[in-house]
Amino acid sequence: MQKTKLMSSSSTTATVLICTYNRADLLAETLDSLALTRTDGVRWNVIVVDNNSSDRTREVVTSRITNYPVSLRYVFEPRQGKSNALNTGLAETDAAIVVFTDDDVRVSEGWLEAACRPMLPTSGDSGIDYTGGPVLPIWEQPCPSWLDDTRSDLWGTLAILDYGRHPFIFEDRCRVPLGANMAVRRALIHRIGGFDPELGRRGNSLLGQEQAEFFCRSRAIGARGLYVPEMSLHHHVPARRLTRDYFRQWWYWKGVSRSRLEQRHLVTELGVNLARVPRLSGVPRFMFGSAIRSLFGWLLALLMFDGIARMRHEAMLYYFAGYLHSVRADRRAAAAAPAEVKANLGRPRAGII
């Protein structure tokens, strides 16, 4: 994993890092809400990484630089992929804390202070390496009737998170924050590196799990994160995501992403060691049982006209399909690799005369 370039010293407490792709109007709203931030002793700045946008993103940022209340920087990253953009942003800051958020959020005046406070020197040696908080929805249109607003198992599809009103250690509950609302000590990033470019969004694709992979590495070294209820923000939920088709696609690609993640890290956030789990065709055997239960659950929900349960089971089936497809594709690629190597023997290689 690529190590992030770090500078020797810093007078900046926190950098708010925003990676963006073709969301100029929403980015403008995010920057304007950030400009109202009030902090007590937190020296901060903002870095916006434009991941090859074709809209007005550059103008939205540069037009605000002169009158912005803190340093606001625009950085262009032409390599498509959210992980590439995140790593570029990390290399551009020497702040003690990096606060990650999205380009379509609204934050309160106290959000940044709440995100950083548990990691500030005034908190003593808290042993906290990162924080995360609630991500609440701004509905572009009413929540559909088939989406359960009382159960959180499908909320990740829309980047919504709410673990309640009480703080806790993420590792104690086998939880992780959302990338739209988390803050990480620079020292932790220095120890474990940045984000895996093989994971994360690329343009309009739904590949993900770059934050989950980051926290796999943080758990491996014993890092601890704190859920901070006061560190809440609001996140736009566009109407185009409030469709069954979008949910099906998102869960399919989560299955693909999860398969890739678990090839890198065999111990899950729940502590399951996948190296010791029986497999069928390369897929953990317990996933077949879960898929069968989801299939029967979906059929029952269909017969009972229960749209909420039907969507929940359908999402799990698409997750399984994505995971299975990814495993099979990787196995085919691995089987074909020796033949390709043999076929290429004796051929001139690119860049070699």
Side-chain angles (χ1 to χ4, degrees):
M1 179 57 57
Q2 173 187 351
K3 291 288 184 178
T4 303
K5 179 181 72 176
L6 298 171
M7 303 179 189
S8 57
S9 63
S10 173
S11 59
T12 303
T13 307
T15 287
V16 178
L17 178 57
I18 303 171
C19 298
T20 186
Y21 176 71
N22 283 343
R23 286 180 177 170
D25 292 339
L26 290 173
L27 175 63
E29 182 180 324
T30 297
L31 291 174
D32 291 345
S33 73
L34 266 173
L36 302 176
T37 294
R38 299 289 180 266
T39 64
D40 182 14
V42 175
R43 298 180 300 277
W44 62 289
N45 60 22
V46 180
I47 294 177
V48 178
V49 181
D50 178 356
N51 196 200
N52 212 19
S53 298
S54 58
D55 62 1
R56 297 174 44 254
T57 292
R58 181 191 293 266
E59 178 189 344
V60 162
V61 180
T62 56
S63 66
R64 286 166 168 74
I65 289 176
T66 301
N67 296 318
Y68 213 69
V70 297
S71 172
L72 171 62
R73 293 182 55 203
Y74 172 90
V75 178
F76 185 77
E77 172 49 71
R79 295 171 299 167
Q80 203 75 62
K82 186 174 182 181
S83 292
N84 288 326
L86 287 167
N87 290 335
T88 295
L90 291 175
E92 292 290 331
T93 180
D94 59 351
I97 300 169
V98 182
V99 187
F100 299 85
T101 192
D102 279 356
D103 56 3
D104 56 354
V105 304
R106 296 177 193 165
V107 302
S108 66
E109 291 184 358
W111 169 75
L112 183 61
E113 180 86 23
C116 296
R117 189 184 306 119
M119 296 180 284
L120 295 176
T122 53
S123 296
D125 186 12
S126 64
I128 297 301
D129 298 290
Y130 66 91
T131 58
V135 179
L136 308 176
I138 303 172
W139 301 105
E140 190 173 287
Q141 70 179 33
C143 179
S145 60
W146 45 262
L147 179 59
D148 193 341
D149 60 2
T150 62
R151 288 183 55 148
S152 61
D153 43 2
L154 298 188
W155 288 1
T157 319
L158 305 174
I160 299 171
L161 181 146
D162 188 355
Y163 291 145
R165 295 177 295 174
H166 303 289
F168 62 85
I169 299 299
F170 281 108
E171 287 70 21
D172 290 348
R173 296 196 186 177
C174 302
R175 303 282 191 179
V176 295
L178 284 182
N181 191 16
M182 66 185 198
V184 183
R185 285 189 192 270
R186 176 168 159 261
L188 175 60
I189 298 167
H190 180 51
R191 290 181 67 188
I192 68 174
F195 296 89
D196 189 340
E198 296 300 315
L199 298 171
R201 298 287 190 269
R202 292 190 183 93
N204 294 317
S205 83
L206 294 177
L207 192 69
Q209 296 292 296
E210 70 280 1
Q211 274 93 15
E213 194 277 334
F214 178 88
F215 288 115
C216 283
R217 285 179 278 128
S218 75
R219 284 193 301 274
I221 66 165
R224 287 159 49 87
L226 179 68
Y227 174 71
V228 182
E230 298 80 13
M231 181 186 167
S232 65
L233 55 71
H234 288 78
H235 177 269
H236 280 276
V237 179
R240 62 181 175 79
R241 295 185 181 178
L242 297 174
T243 67
R244 290 181 180 274
D245 280 344
Y246 179 82
F247 271 64
R248 293 178 187 117
Q249 292 176 39
W250 192 93
W251 280 93
Y252 177 88
W253 280 101
K254 182 174 182 178
V256 172
S257 306
R258 190 70 184 186
S259 170
R260 296 185 181 184
L261 169 65
E262 291 179 353
Q263 290 176 25
R264 294 161 170 77
H265 301 280
L266 291 174
V267 179
T268 72
E269 68 271 17
L270 298 177
V272 178
N273 188 340
L274 296 174
R276 301 174 182 173
V277 170
R279 292 176 179 262
L280 293 174
S281 301
V283 176
R285 190 172 65 188
F286 67 81
M287 291 188 66
F288 286 90
S290 296
I292 291 170
R293 288 190 292 274
S294 292
L295 177 58
F296 280 107
W298 180 85
L299 290 170
L300 179 61
L302 185 65
L303 292 172
M304 300 296 292
F305 299 98
D306 186 343
I308 290 177
R310 178 184 162 195
M311 186 70 255
R312 186 168 61 251
H313 292 300
E314 199 168 312
M316 297 304 104
L317 289 169
Y318 273 85
Y319 173 81
F320 175 75
Y323 195 105
L324 178 62
H325 174 83
S326 180
V327 168
R328 294 180 65 183
D330 289 339
R331 285 163 69 92
R332 286 195 300 268
E340 292 175 3
V341 170
K342 184 176 179 180
N344 286 322
L345 287 178
R347 293 182 182 176
R349 292 159 59 191
I352 298 177
I353 299 176

